Amino acid sequence: MTRLSAASLDANGKHRAAAEGTTIRPGIVHLGLGAFARAHTAVFTEDAMLATGSSDWGIVGVTQRSDTVARQLAPQDGLFTVAERGSGAAPLRVVSSIVEAISGRDRPEAVVDRIAADSTRVVTLTVTEKGYRIDPHTGSLNLADEQVRADLAGKPPLTAIGQITRGIQKRALTGGGPLTVVSCDNLPGNGELTGTLVRAFAAALPDTERTPLLTWLEDNVTFPSTMVDRMVPATTSRDLDAVEHELGLRDEAAVVAEPFMQWVIEDNFAGDRPAWEEAGALFSHDVAAWEAAKLRLLNASHSLLAYLGLAAGLDTISDAVGEDSFRRACRLMLAEDALPTVSLPDGLDGETYCAQILQRFANPALGHTTAKVGSDGSQKIGLRLLTTIRANLDAGREPRWAALAVAAWMHHVATTPAAGLNDPLAAELQAVLPADRRADTVIPALLTCRSVFDAEIAADSTFAGLLLHWYRIIDTQGLDGLRNEINHG
Ligand code: CS2
């Protein structure tokens, strides 16, 4: 089968790229070219260009740890397909906003050059929680991280923060214009955080580099926060075959996604930006509230369903939410633990939002796996669940359902064979686990893990009691016991 490319698409009678015939020039460097970026940021950016007739916002995409996507996109002239799945799905769409794909691992100097280039006015990033190299104890850059140290020592940078800071440093030296760095990861205050990490990197450089760089950063670079939302599972070979069937061309970089997508952006740009509002993005002064609501409502329930699903041997989120008792646990977590302790931004109705997310989870066509959503739990549960748990404990309430999610995560950690635990802290978590894995041995052991639980929450007896209660049921009574407890709880 012929491979997707500009020429083969041109010759293909069935489908056209929306921006066909336009020469798109680079304006954005995007770090982290995973499926999410292709199905979200690249689509918003193409839509903004289409809506305004501008062609200056092409994306130079950079893959981080693996070069797979750069290799997939290279022979395709950066083209890829977005296949929406589920009710309301739009027809197949070929996206052409990516004008170059670089393997950051193999061509780190090129990444620095592109960030420094005059044509670049915006850097966007989707590198996942662990890509920021945060020290869980300080909340700032992990200066003990080997890769961060290598980047600081002057090696061609491989971490996202190293790439951004070295790119900005070169930009400052070559007289480049202002730059806006837009984080698109599920982290509270992701813009402020990215700014803190970049400044921490700059501050750790030798004196002669540090001062001019920090001054330039202050005067020329902004870090707006954003809230991004679209469920994008990992593409499977079956998805690729289905796209090939429909498109009539082979696209190795195709992505599947739910029809829903949302982007809330803080209007704090140092210079020009794409007219993302023309593509449906919302510019807001209250991004922190949007992000907190998304993390503590949507992502928290996603994690709850993922770990309950994993415990029950269910492969997908739609299977997990299809289990009545799990859906009930989710509803109760939202209504009793999360909604009363989160402040919603203007324009967001909590009950409508919660009903909508449960409906989105139930999309049977998406194939979002519990394994994927359950991955990297050590990076996620603090932001999604422990925030809610602490707020309830502080208010003298028992966060029963959020604690169920954490207990189910603990069960996942304790019962997954060592090599199979997909988590950057797998070794640290496994090192504290006891040989004899029962509720009363596993829970105190995992609570000692300070990268996940701070001393205060770890010492809270109400929280520990809830964890013990749920862990015992999951571990010894299986699905029937869990159903029973949830339904009568
Ligand atoms: C998910 C998110 O994998 C996960 O942890 O909860 O990626 C989720 O699908 C997105 O945040 C939805 O916008």
Side-chain angles (χ1 to χ4, degrees):
M1 174 62 76
T2 310
R3 189 76 178 265
L4 169 65
S5 69
S8 68
L9 189 65
D10 199 33
N12 173 299
K14 276 188 177 165
H15 288 271
R16 295 257 167 261
E20 196 190 44
T22 326
T23 307
I24 299 176
R25 287 181 297 278
I28 298 176
V29 172
H30 182 88
L31 306 180
L33 208 44
F36 180 80
R38 279 171 284 153
H40 185 275
T41 328
V43 172
F44 269 102
T45 302
E46 183 175 70
D47 279 347
M49 287 193 282
L50 289 169
T52 55
S54 150
S55 50
D56 287 349
W57 294 107
I59 299 170
V60 175
V62 178
T63 57
Q64 297 298 108
R65 284 160 304 148
S66 137
D67 65 348
T68 311
V69 180
R71 279 192 289 107
Q72 288 165 342
L73 286 171
Q76 300 188 178
D77 301 309
L79 296 171
F80 65 94
T81 313
V82 176
E84 292 188 2
R85 300 267 192 259
S87 116
L92 217 61
R93 163 172 184 171
V94 177
V95 178
S96 49
S97 50
I98 296 183
V99 292
E100 186 185 13
I102 301 179
S103 160
R105 195 189 62 194
D106 301 329
R107 299 176 56 209
E109 284 100 347
V111 179
V112 171
D113 286 346
R114 297 301 184 279
I115 295 176
D118 242 356
S119 52
T120 302
R121 283 144 294 155
V122 173
V123 172
T124 47
L125 63 158
T126 51
V127 294
T128 79
E129 296 87 343
K130 63 182 175 232
Y132 287 77
R133 314 285 169 130
I134 302 168
D135 177 341
H137 307 286
T138 64
S140 186
L141 189 63
N142 187 357
L143 295 170
D145 181 290
E146 244 174 68
Q147 203 61 69
V148 171
R149 290 164 76 105
D151 289 2
L152 279 168
K155 296 249 170 63
L158 294 178
T159 66
I161 298 300
Q163 291 164 334
I164 295 170
T165 322
R166 291 299 189 186
I168 292 175
Q169 192 175 25
K170 182 155 190 181
R171 203 176 171 87
L173 292 172
T174 54
L179 185 75
T180 306
V181 180
V182 186
S183 165
C184 306
D185 283 294
N186 288 322
L187 290 154
N190 51 13
E192 199 181 325
L193 172 73
T194 309
T196 301
L197 300 175
V198 165
R199 281 187 290 272
F201 186 102
L205 290 171
D207 269 357
T208 46
E209 294 180 59
R210 176 176 50 218
T211 313
L213 178 52
L214 284 171
T215 309
W216 202 87
L217 268 166
E218 190 62 34
D219 295 342
N220 297 282
V221 186
T222 59
F223 298 90
S225 284
T226 71
M227 182 277 258
V228 294
D229 192 5
R230 186 171 215 185
M231 290 175 205
V232 184
T235 315
T236 64
S237 53
R238 215 183 313 147
D239 294 326
L240 293 182
D241 292 346
V243 167
E244 174 177 327
H245 184 72
E246 214 184 312
L247 184 67
L249 296 169
R250 182 70 181 175
D251 177 1
E252 294 292 344
V255 289
V256 295
E258 64 171 337
F260 179 93
M261 60 175 190
Q262 189 178 32
W263 199 3
V264 184
I265 308 171
E266 185 188 358
D267 201 353
N268 173 25
F269 283 72
D272 269 5
R273 62 164 177 80
W276 282 314
E277 67 278 25
E278 299 289 331
L282 176 72
F283 279 82
S284 162
H285 294 296
D286 205 9
V287 176
W290 281 98
E291 182 63 18
K294 191 215 162 192
L295 279 166
R296 290 167 63 171
L297 301 172
L298 185 153
N299 293 115
S301 353
H302 224 189
S303 292
L304 170 63
L305 287 169
Y307 298 120
L308 288 176
L310 286 165
L314 301 173
D315 286 341
T316 64
I317 294 293
S318 65
D319 287 345
V321 80
E323 159 61 42
D324 289 345
S325 61
F326 293 175
R327 194 169 57 254
R328 176 177 158 83
C330 227
R331 281 214 183 95
L332 291 169
M333 181 180 75
L334 290 166
E336 293 182 6
D337 299 348
L339 275 176
T341 53
V342 73
S343 40
L344 299 173
D346 283 349
L348 187 69
D349 177 74
E351 272 164 38
T352 312
Y353 184 70
C354 292
Q356 189 192 36
I357 61 184
L358 289 177
Q359 213 169 30
R360 289 169 59 200
F361 292 155
N363 182 345
L366 198 58
H368 211 176
T369 61
T370 47
K372 169 108 192 314
V373 178
S375 67
D376 294 353
S378 69
Q379 313 292 297
K380 296 174 179 170
I381 67 160
L383 310 173
R384 300 176 178 200
L385 294 157
L386 298 181
T387 38
T388 290
I389 288 170
R390 183 183 311 283
N392 278 279
L393 292 172
D394 287 350
R397 279 193 300 262
E398 283 200 350
R400 290 196 67 200
W401 308 102
L404 166 60
V406 179
W409 169 70
M410 288 180 156
H411 188 259
H412 172 64
V413 170
T415 55
T416 304
L421 188 64
N422 193 350
D423 194 301
L425 293 189
E428 188 176 334
L429 295 166
Q430 274 149 0
V432 300
L433 282 174
D436 179 14
R437 303 206 176 156
R438 297 181 325 262
D440 55 349
T441 57
V442 166
I443 289 165
L446 287 177
L447 283 174
T448 65
C449 199
R450 285 291 161 270
S451 306
V452 181
F453 302 100
D454 64 38
E456 194 189 335
I457 206 157
D460 192 288
S461 57
T462 306
F463 180 42
L466 290 168
L467 291 174
L468 266 172
H469 169 77
W470 286 119
Y471 193 107
R472 275 202 186 106
I473 293 170
I474 298 170
D475 201 38
T476 60
Q477 298 176 27
L479 183 55
D480 282 342
L482 202 48
R483 268 193 193 127
N484 195 38
E485 185 63 20
I486 293 171
N487 289 336
H488 299 102

